[in-house]
């Protein structure tokens, strides 16, 4: 079974000791859903550095004690489709992002409100800009951000309710659909990559280069010392 782990994002093939399924017919008077059964699927990610548990549950129709199709599915672990954000992202931003993902389908309104607060948190933390309204903060970064990023922000902003969501104070709650909340969540994921991950990688490359230069200087000094002794 080909599979992409929702924790580490690595595509992988799941074989036997890494997966387990169980399903049971309910010995129960027929409900309005017909005869039903319930099943659990569990997977352990085969990536040695990950080994996370993925757990889903399903209610199925049951015909002569056999599952004949899913009625409802539940994602138990991980709790949402959220991407795992790197450790160097500030904790309040991560919390808002994870919670926004977790409640997207249950309460898109609350999800979008959290996503909007998350976006504001990122602009304040990353760009050190703080204004009363999110709209003014977004406008203030227009000249600073890459034009591709700006077009993503504008695109999300142009969508009906989400747009008015981004114009208004973050405490104003506006009705939205799960798909619209997902647009905001997707924007946050893109901005995490383009701002924080890019900056962190650049820092790391600079540190690596500095280390390399120091090693070279040390080697040179050492060989000079040796030649002086000789
Ligand atoms: Zn994994």
């Amino acid at each position: 079974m080909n599979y992409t782990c929702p924790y580490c994002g690595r595509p992988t093939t799941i074989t036997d000791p890494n997966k387990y399924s169980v399903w049971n017919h309910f010995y129960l008077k027929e409900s309005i859903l017909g005869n039903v059964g319930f099943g659990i699927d569990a997977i352990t990610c085969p990536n040695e550095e990950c080994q996370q548990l993925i757990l889903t549950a399903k209610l199925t129709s049951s015909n002569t004690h056999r599952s004949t199709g899913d009625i409802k599915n539940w994602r138990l672990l991980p709790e949402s489709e959220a991407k795992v954000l790197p450790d160097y992202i500030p904790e309040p931003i991560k919390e808002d992002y994870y919670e926004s993902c977790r409640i997207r389908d249950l309460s898109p309104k609350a999800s979008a409100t959290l996503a909007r607060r998350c976006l504001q948190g990122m602009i304040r933390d990353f760009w050190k800009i703080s204004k009363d309204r999110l709209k003014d903060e977004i406008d203030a970064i227009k000249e600073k951000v890459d034009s591709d990023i700006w077009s993503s922000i504008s695109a999300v902003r142009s969508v009906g309710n989400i747009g008015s969501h981004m114009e208004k104070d973050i405490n104003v709650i506006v009705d939205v659909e799960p798909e619209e909340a997902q647009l905001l969540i997707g924007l946050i994921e893109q901005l995490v990559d383009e701002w924080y991950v890019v900056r962190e990688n650049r820092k790391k490359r600079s540190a690596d280069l500095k280390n390399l230069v120091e090693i070279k200087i040390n080697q040179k000094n050492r060989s000079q010392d040796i030649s002086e002794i000789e």
Side-chain angles (χ1 to χ4, degrees):
M1 182 173 94
N2 290 324
Y3 191 78
T4 299
C5 172
Y7 292 96
C8 65
R10 205 176 281 187
T12 177
T13 310
I14 306 288
T15 48
D16 232 340
N18 286 71
K19 66 179 167 61
Y20 177 77
S21 292
V22 60
W23 181 86
N24 271 298
H25 170 79
F26 284 174
Y27 292 91
L28 179 75
K29 186 175 186 302
E30 191 173 342
S31 72
I32 53 166
L33 297 171
N35 287 310
V36 293
F38 190 77
I40 295 274
D41 294 295
I43 290 173
T44 298
C45 176
N47 172 7
E48 287 291 324
E49 287 145 34
C50 177
Q51 297 190 6
Q52 291 276 3
L53 181 70
I54 298 115
L55 195 63
T56 51
K58 60 189 177 200
L59 178 70
T60 74
S61 1
S62 172
N63 189 8
T64 54
H65 304 179
R66 277 227 173 98
S67 165
T68 52
D70 296 0
I71 297 172
K72 193 166 165 56
N73 289 280
W74 291 271
R75 171 198 296 274
L76 302 175
L77 288 175
E79 279 181 324
S80 73
E81 287 168 33
K83 304 222 161 87
V84 177
L85 301 187
D87 291 339
Y88 49 78
I89 307 292
E91 206 54 45
I93 292 174
K94 283 201 280 190
E95 276 172 26
D96 280 350
Y97 166 74
Y98 289 135
E99 196 169 344
S100 173
C101 292
R102 203 177 298 142
I103 58 175
R104 186 195 65 193
D105 297 332
L106 207 62
S107 173
K109 203 183 338 193
S111 170
T113 304
L114 277 164
R116 202 166 42 148
R117 191 172 80 174
C118 184
L119 178 62
Q120 182 168 60
M122 288 169 72
I123 293 173
R124 290 183 172 180
D125 173 68
F126 194 88
W127 295 101
K128 311 289 176 221
I129 282 170
S130 182
K131 296 187 183 294
D132 286 343
R133 295 186 310 166
L134 178 60
K135 177 192 188 299
D136 299 328
E137 291 169 327
I138 291 175
D139 288 338
I141 59 167
K142 188 177 178 183
E143 302 304 320
K144 298 171 185 277
V145 302
D146 193 269
S147 64
D148 289 338
I149 304 289
W150 184 253
S151 55
S152 298
I153 295 172
S154 305
V156 173
R157 212 180 188 180
S158 69
V159 179
N161 279 329
I162 283 293
S164 67
H165 235 85
M166 288 165 85
E167 304 288 296
K168 287 182 184 142
D169 181 76
I170 63 156
N171 297 311
V172 177
I173 291 170
V174 186
D175 247 335
V176 289
E177 296 298 316
E179 301 75 45
E180 291 182 292
Q182 181 55 43
L183 286 176
L184 268 176
I185 289 170
L187 179 64
I188 288 164
E189 288 166 355
Q190 190 191 0
L191 297 181
V192 163
D193 282 348
E194 305 273 356
W195 293 351
Y196 289 93
V197 176
V198 166
R199 180 173 73 182
E200 196 64 22
N201 289 346
R202 197 168 48 219
K203 258 196 227 165
K204 198 183 165 296
R205 278 198 304 272
S206 297
D208 288 350
L209 187 68
K210 213 170 139 233
N211 277 340
L212 198 66
V213 168
E214 271 167 21
I215 291 167
K216 287 287 158 198
I217 289 173
N218 285 340
Q219 281 175 350
K220 203 174 149 205
N221 289 346
R222 211 174 304 137
S223 62
Q224 272 175 351
D225 289 350
I226 291 168
S227 68
E228 276 167 21
I229 293 167
E230 285 169 354

